[in-house]
Every structure is written in structure tokens, then in C-alpha cells.
Amino acid sequence: ELHLSIRNVSKTYPNGVLALDHVSLEIPKGMYGLLGPNGAGKSTLMRTLATLQEPDSGEITLGEINVIHQKAEVRKTLGYLPQEFGLYPKAKAEELLDYFAVLKGLTNRASRKEVVTALLKQTNLWEKRKQKLGGFSGGMKQRFGVAVALLGNPRLMIVDEPTAGLDPAERVRFLNLLSELGEKSVVILSTHIVEDVSELCTRMAIINKGKILLEAEPLKAVAKI
Ligand code: ADP
Ligand code: ADP
């Protein structure tokens, strides 16, 4: 079964900050929480998994794929939802999603239409499909980001601090959407909010100053904090 393996990954930035210090994690399919305060190294690890930067040392594999050395292979099967979804205020939701689908290699118009329609419905944006992203609320933007990330059925979904700025109703909606995904992919949710992890994730790790302090089931871990 699909499995993400992170072994002894370290990263020091040019300014001397040790952002990841021999990080090792074995992550199965499902929702996995990475919990830590600001500056802990979460984004560094997320960007590394998303092939946006390389570690100084260590190994990362997703199933048979070497994540550090086979970037193109990873990217085919990766969904990445950054902290803030890069916004194109003048683009309309459906048109932009269709455009991203083209970039993902969906060249057949009819099948693209089918995929785009399904994703807009799944993320509850179907009614808003003709509207410009500039008028979207924070939660709508996040859900649009999920729709983009879901193009191409990712086996690895990286979600970096997603619930900041969402109102409670939007937050629940968004997290439910993610947990559906966990049924078929490895989903890693990076956050500093304990509840995001305790409510949804089946496994979790706590990171601080680049080190993994604890790896456990959320309820047991939260009891220890
Ligand atoms: P988190 O996402 O948990 O807030 P980050 O991975 O962003 O943590 O940061 C970990 C540490 O590395 C922090 O001390 C941060 O200031 C530092 N850092 C992050 N990115 C860079 C960078 N590009 N150059 C130098 N230091 C960085
Ligand atoms: P986070 O910690 O949640 O990743 P930040 O606001 O710290 O968010 O980082 C935003 C951007 O600034 C990132 O691209 C990160 O690499 C960079 N960055 C963070 N800390 C530093 C730093 N100390 N020196 C240089 N760049 C940094």
C-alpha cells in the first residue's frame, strides 16, 4: 500500500538556521498532521515534499518514487495547497480551473469539462463558477485551491497551514473536504492549530526547531501536551 517515507532529512539555510534536523517519518495513506509553532520547520518540510526545494541530506520516497531525485514523477501525482493560494483576481473560477487542467496535461476538452464540473461541485463552488476570484471569500479561495490541487488525482496532497483566516463554518467544510481525500491518498496537513489535527488526523507528529519531538495518534499526543 501507498506510503511516504522520510529518512534523516536535514536542511540548513544559508543564514545558518537549521530548519530540519534529521527528520524521519513513516506516513501511511490517510490524514497525517504535522503540528508545530511558527518557525518549527513545517513549511520547509512541506516545500521539500512538494519538490520546491531540496534538503542537504536524507532520503524521501513515495511508494516507488524517489521524491528528491524524480521530481517530474512526484509532480505528476502531487497536490500542493500553499498557505495562500496565488490569486488571479480577474479570472473566473471555471475558466481558471480549466486552464490549470490544461497545464496538468488534460488536453481533451470533453473530459476536461467533466473533471472541472465534478471538482467545482465537490468543492461547493459550482454556483460561483462564473464569478471572478477577486470577489471570493477566504474560504472560497481555499476551496478553489483544493479544486486545483485535486486535478490529476494526487496520491500525495500537501496542505500548508490551511485554516488560518477561515471562519468556523468554512473551516469545517474545508476540513471535511480534505478528509474525503485521505481515503485514497497520503494527505499531510501542516498546522499550528491543535484542533485541526485532533479532529481529523489518524496519525500526527510534533515538530519544533527542526526536530520531531513526538509521533503518535492525535488523542494520545494531545493528552501529553
Ligand atoms: P514554519 O513553517 O514551521 O513556520 P519554516 O520552515 O518556515 O517554519 O521555518 C523554519 C526556520 O527556518 C525558521 O527559523 C525560519 O525563519 C527559517 N527559514 C525559513 N525559510 C528560510 C529561508 N528561505 N532562508 C532562511 N531561513 C529560512
Ligand atoms: P512560514 O514560516 O509559515 O513558512 P514565513 O512568513 O516565515 O512563513 O516565510 C515566508 C517566506 O519567507 C518563505 O518563502 C520562507 O522561505 C522565507 N523566510 C522565512 N524566514 C526567513 C528568513 N529568516 N530568512 C529568509 N527568508 C525567510
Side-chain angles (χ1 to χ4, degrees):
E1 184 154 276
L2 186 65
H3 179 93
L4 178 73
S5 175
I6 301 169
R7 297 183 297 276
N8 259 314
V9 166
S10 293
K11 170 73 184 180
T12 303
Y13 283 109
N15 60 358
V17 172
L18 177 58
L20 297 175
D21 187 0
H22 296 88
V23 168
S24 294
L25 293 170
E26 299 297 327
I27 304 184
K29 207 160 74 172
M31 290 277 290
Y32 191 96
L34 182 69
L35 185 65
N38 281 334
K42 300 184 299 296
S43 293
T44 301
L45 185 59
M46 296 297 102
R47 288 195 301 263
T48 303
L49 295 174
T51 74
L52 298 173
Q53 65 182 62
E54 285 187 13
D56 300 326
S57 57
E59 291 299 329
I60 305 172
T61 52
L62 174 68
E64 299 297 300
I65 304 172
N66 182 317
V67 173
I68 300 168
H69 300 296
Q70 296 175 283
K71 292 195 179 67
E73 292 304 308
V74 183
R75 287 173 189 169
K76 273 186 214 158
T77 191
L78 172 77
Y80 178 56
L81 185 61
Q83 262 169 33
E84 277 172 46
F85 184 77
L87 194 54
Y88 304 77
K90 291 185 179 162
K92 293 174 183 162
E94 186 175 31
E95 286 171 10
L96 187 61
L97 192 57
D98 183 71
Y99 173 69
F100 282 124
V102 173
L103 294 185
K104 273 271 171 185
L106 280 163
T107 48
N108 181 284
R109 260 191 90 176
S111 59
R112 210 163 64 227
K113 174 89 185 162
E114 219 172 280
V115 168
V116 165
T117 299
L119 284 174
L120 287 171
K121 288 184 175 166
Q122 191 185 346
T123 52
N124 246 303
L125 291 171
W126 178 246
E127 323 276 87
K128 315 280 181 196
R129 67 191 181 281
K130 307 283 184 208
Q131 295 185 19
K132 291 180 179 169
L133 266 67
F136 275 22
S137 70
M140 286 158 66
K141 283 176 201 164
Q142 280 294 41
R143 281 186 275 128
F144 185 78
V146 173
V148 173
L150 287 180
L151 283 167
N153 286 320
R155 292 200 299 157
L156 174 62
M157 179 84 173
I158 303 291
V159 188
D160 198 356
E161 300 257 8
T163 59
L166 298 192
D167 69 42
E170 278 284 16
R171 180 175 164 272
V172 169
R173 231 169 171 178
F174 173 77
L175 292 176
N176 285 337
L177 194 55
L178 283 187
S179 62
E180 278 173 38
L181 240 180
E183 289 164 21
K184 42 184 186 171
S185 323
V186 174
V187 183
I188 305 180
L189 174 66
S190 140
T191 182
H192 61 269
I193 302 171
V194 176
E195 286 77 17
D196 284 354
V197 169
S198 59
E199 286 167 19
L200 275 169
C201 297
T202 44
R203 298 282 301 173
M204 67 168 292
I206 294 178
I207 185 169
N208 193 23
K209 296 182 180 159
K211 279 196 169 73
I212 301 298
L213 300 184
L214 175 71
E215 224 251 325
E217 288 168 34
L219 286 177
K220 292 174 190 166
V222 169
K224 280 192 196 177
I225 294 174

